[in-house]
């Protein structure tokens, strides 16, 4: 997780190691994590004396002295340096590896989640798990609810900043990921054995019974959770992130294409606003602040280089950039299954086409991030790619009206859908 940098020392990018006390904020920017004045800068206090001030306490338009991440001179130097380094490393393996990892993992999550969602969708009604169906009126509220949650977390991270609050948020996310890991292992066992495992006796603290596979998955997830809190290793983070994405994509349905269109359009505006506009309003990039402040598996990450203090720095992709388009593509996969059942199609045309569009959108996001040296709202690129591709496929096949009017009822498969895998024996529990 670290490269060897002696305590009290700082490694420059050219390999030179200096005393951390000699760190020059004018030339090198904000103080690093291993500096005693991390997230602080020296400034004139109200008493007229010079002292140390928290960076978070200087909001709005400044002034931003040396040592503050918004210091104009440092921002200019950082931008020029980053552009130079991006050009040098973006087409070398050391620069491509983190982005390829994130792109591959995100695409795999969407593909597996959509395909398993189709398998569950096409099971006989008596054996099918109950799933949540998002209606159009729900989709209208997504940006509002998401904004409230995001801003609330921003306030906690910036103005309250209590360690126990951040840990409480992390614990909640990790617990959800642990139970989603157990549910995913249960679904995998059902696929492998071609039957549902018999439920065990009802657990007192749970509302429903658990079978042996799910209980085993929760136990394994609990061990990983302990490991995550101990070292916060990026591999455990990604296992939890993938598990959470798969669980959401396959167990949540979009009721119609219109619902998906409304959801994607609303979250497109949400993502753009909080990445590009929040800084001028709240004095900080809300999305970036929350991503860095909440140490929980709410993003996929892959190490790209080691910082001057020896800690790894990571490339990141938020789970929302996987789950949101994943839900839409899972709906298209179910429509594909219906067309296959009606003998009107021979494969997952809509799913595979939008998967290609999704990959291209992530590549566009990465390119924009490299050239601009700034965080990018991935949905800004994902939404147009996916929507335009799905509409183009539907129009070219003469199925747009049918796609637009197709509806997934609560807890029921469409008449045209036929099982894509062997039926599971035994009654599945409700989720």
């Amino acid at each position: 997780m670290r490269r060897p940098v002696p305590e009290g020392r700082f490694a420059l990018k050219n390999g030179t190691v200096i005393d951390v006390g000699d760190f020059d904020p004018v030339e090198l920017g904000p103080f690093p994590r291993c500096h005693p004045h991390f997230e602080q800068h020296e400034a004139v206090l109200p008493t007229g004396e010079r002292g140390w001030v928290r960076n978070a306490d200087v909001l709005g338009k400044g002034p931003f002295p040396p040592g503050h991440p918004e210091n104009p001179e440092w921002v200019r130097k950082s931008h020029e340096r980053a552009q130079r380094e991006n050009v040098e490393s973006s087409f070398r393996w050391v620069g491509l590896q983190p982005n390829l990892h994130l792109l591959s993992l995100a695409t795999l999550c969407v593909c597996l989640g959509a395909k398993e969602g189709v398998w569950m969708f096409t099971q006989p009604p008596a054996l099918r798990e109950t799933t949540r169906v998002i209606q159009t009126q729900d989709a209208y509220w997504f940006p509002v609810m998401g904004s409230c949650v995001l801003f609330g977390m921003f306030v906690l991270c910036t103005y309250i900043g209590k360690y126990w609050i951040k840990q409480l948020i992390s614990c909640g996310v990790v617990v959800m990921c642990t139970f989603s890991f157990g549910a995913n292992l249960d679904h995998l066992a059902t696929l492998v054995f071609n039957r549902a495992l018999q439920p065990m006796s009802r657990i007192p603290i749970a509302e429903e019974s658990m079978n042996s596979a799910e209980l085993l998955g929760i136990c394994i997830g609990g061990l990983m959770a302990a490991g995550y809190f101990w070292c916060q290793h990026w591999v455990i983070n990604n296992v939890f992130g993938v598990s959470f994405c798969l669980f959401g994509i396959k167990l949540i349905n979009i009721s119609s294409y219109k619902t998906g269109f409304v959801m994607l359009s609303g979250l497109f505006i949400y993502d753009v606003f909080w990445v590009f506009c929040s800084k001028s309003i709240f004095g900080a990039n809300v999305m970036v602040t929350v991503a860095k402040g909440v140490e929980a598996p709410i993003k996929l990450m892959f190490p790209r280089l080691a910082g001057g203090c020896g800690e790894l720095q990571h490339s990141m992709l938020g789970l929302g950039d996987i789950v949101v388009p994943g839900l839409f593509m899972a709906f298209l996969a179910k429509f594909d299954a219906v067309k296959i059942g009606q003998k009107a199609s021979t494969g997952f045309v809509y799913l595979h086409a939008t998967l290609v569009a999704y990959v291209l959108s992530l590549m566009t996001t990465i390119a924009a991030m490299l050239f601009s040296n700034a965080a990018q709202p991935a949905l800004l690129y994902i939404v147009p790619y996916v929507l335009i591709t799905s509409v183009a496929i539907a129009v070219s096949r003469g199925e747009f009206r049918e796609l637009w009017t197709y509806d997934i009822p609560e807890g029921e498969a469409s008449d045209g859908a036929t099982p894509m895998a062997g039926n599971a024996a035994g009654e599945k529990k409700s989720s």
Side-chain angles (χ1 to χ4, degrees):
M1 291 292 289
R2 298 174 61 89
R3 68 176 177 182
V5 176
E7 186 175 355
R9 307 276 282 174
F10 181 82
L12 302 177
K13 291 189 175 182
N14 62 9
T16 305
V17 179
I18 63 173
D19 288 329
V20 73
D22 296 331
F23 189 93
D24 182 6
V26 175
E27 179 61 29
L28 300 176
F31 291 114
R33 188 176 295 274
C34 53
H35 195 281
H37 293 293
F38 173 58
E39 293 186 336
Q40 295 179 337
H41 62 273
E42 194 173 15
V44 178
L45 301 176
T47 59
E49 301 177 347
R50 294 191 66 82
W52 295 100
V53 179
R54 291 175 65 242
N55 293 336
D57 292 337
V58 182
L59 301 175
K61 298 183 179 180
F64 303 112
H68 191 283
E70 300 299 323
N71 175 257
E73 186 65 18
W74 161 247
V75 170
R76 181 186 63 81
K77 288 181 181 179
S78 175
H79 186 75
E80 293 175 352
R81 183 181 303 167
Q83 281 190 321
R84 196 164 55 245
E85 292 173 351
N86 286 338
V87 171
E88 293 173 355
S89 65
S90 57
F91 294 102
R92 291 161 46 199
W93 178 244
V94 66
L96 288 174
Q97 187 181 15
N99 295 324
L100 288 176
H101 171 89
L102 293 177
L103 189 151
S104 302
L105 207 53
T107 306
L108 186 63
C109 279
V110 172
C111 183
L112 290 179
K115 288 290 183 73
E116 190 170 355
V118 169
W119 176 80
M120 297 173 65
F121 173 71
T122 54
Q123 293 299 296
L127 306 179
R128 191 181 314 126
E129 287 200 38
T130 302
T131 58
R132 174 77 168 90
V133 178
I134 300 174
Q135 304 295 337
T136 305
Q137 57 268 29
D138 301 325
Y140 282 115
W141 282 98
F142 270 33
V144 178
M145 294 169 59
S147 296
C148 292
V149 172
L150 183 67
F151 184 71
M153 294 177 71
F154 171 73
V155 170
L156 290 175
C157 293
T158 304
Y159 299 102
I160 300 177
K162 296 295 184 181
Y163 175 79
W164 67 269
I165 294 179
K166 294 182 180 180
Q167 288 298 103
L168 188 62
I169 295 173
S170 298
C171 286
V173 175
V174 169
V175 167
M176 287 192 296
C177 292
T178 299
F179 278 90
S180 67
F181 186 86
N184 286 326
L185 190 60
D186 175 25
H187 297 153
L188 178 61
T190 302
L191 280 169
V192 170
F193 297 109
N194 198 27
R195 63 181 179 84
L197 301 181
Q198 292 298 320
M200 302 170 64
S201 59
R202 186 176 296 273
I203 300 176
I205 62 173
E207 296 182 357
E208 57 188 51
S209 300
M210 296 183 184
N211 60 39
S212 56
E214 187 170 5
L215 187 59
L216 176 62
I218 292 174
C219 292
I220 295 174
L223 292 175
M224 289 194 297
Y228 179 81
F229 283 116
W230 178 54
C231 65
Q232 293 184 342
H233 199 285
W234 63 271
V235 173
I236 302 177
N237 174 91
N238 287 359
V239 171
F240 273 150
V242 168
S243 180
F244 186 81
C245 290
L246 289 175
F247 183 77
I249 292 173
K250 66 190 177 184
L251 284 179
I252 299 178
N253 289 323
I254 295 176
S255 64
S256 65
Y257 188 90
K258 178 184 177 181
T259 302
F261 183 88
V262 170
M263 180 187 71
L264 288 180
S265 300
L267 292 177
F268 170 90
I269 298 172
Y270 157 90
D271 215 24
V272 171
F273 171 80
W274 287 111
V275 173
F276 287 146
C277 304
S278 61
K279 186 176 180 180
S280 60
I281 299 175
F282 304 106
N285 188 313
V286 172
M287 195 81 76
V288 174
T289 301
V290 171
K292 291 182 177 180
V294 179
E295 296 178 344
I298 58 174
K299 53 192 175 291
L300 298 184
M301 53 200 300
F302 193 81
R304 52 187 172 86
L305 53 86
C309 295
E311 79 283 5
L312 287 179
Q313 297 178 357
H314 301 85
S315 296
M316 297 180 291
L317 180 67
L319 299 188
D321 300 325
I322 302 172
V323 175
V324 170
L327 292 176
F328 181 74
M329 285 186 270
F331 169 83
L332 294 177
K334 294 178 180 71
F335 183 74
D336 276 324
V338 171
K339 302 304 292 183
I340 293 172
Q342 296 172 349
K343 309 299 183 183
S345 180
T346 57
F348 289 89
V349 178
Y350 288 92
L351 174 62
H352 294 159
T354 49
L355 273 175
V356 173
Y358 181 65
V359 171
L360 293 176
S361 69
L362 291 181
M363 293 172 65
T364 305
T365 305
I366 293 168
M369 190 166 50
L370 290 174
F371 284 109
S372 67
N373 186 36
Q376 294 292 315
L379 293 180
L380 171 64
Y381 308 98
I382 294 172
V383 171
Y385 267 95
V386 171
L387 286 180
I388 292 173
T389 300
S390 61
V391 169
I393 295 296
V395 171
S396 66
R397 292 167 61 91
E399 297 171 348
F400 181 75
R401 182 181 296 276
E402 184 180 359
L403 175 63
W404 184 266
T405 57
Y406 176 67
D407 182 78
I408 296 179
E410 185 84 37
E412 294 182 5
S414 177
D415 293 338
T418 56
M420 306 299 294
N423 293 342
E427 184 175 356
K428 294 284 286 180
K429 63 182 181 301
S430 298
S431 60

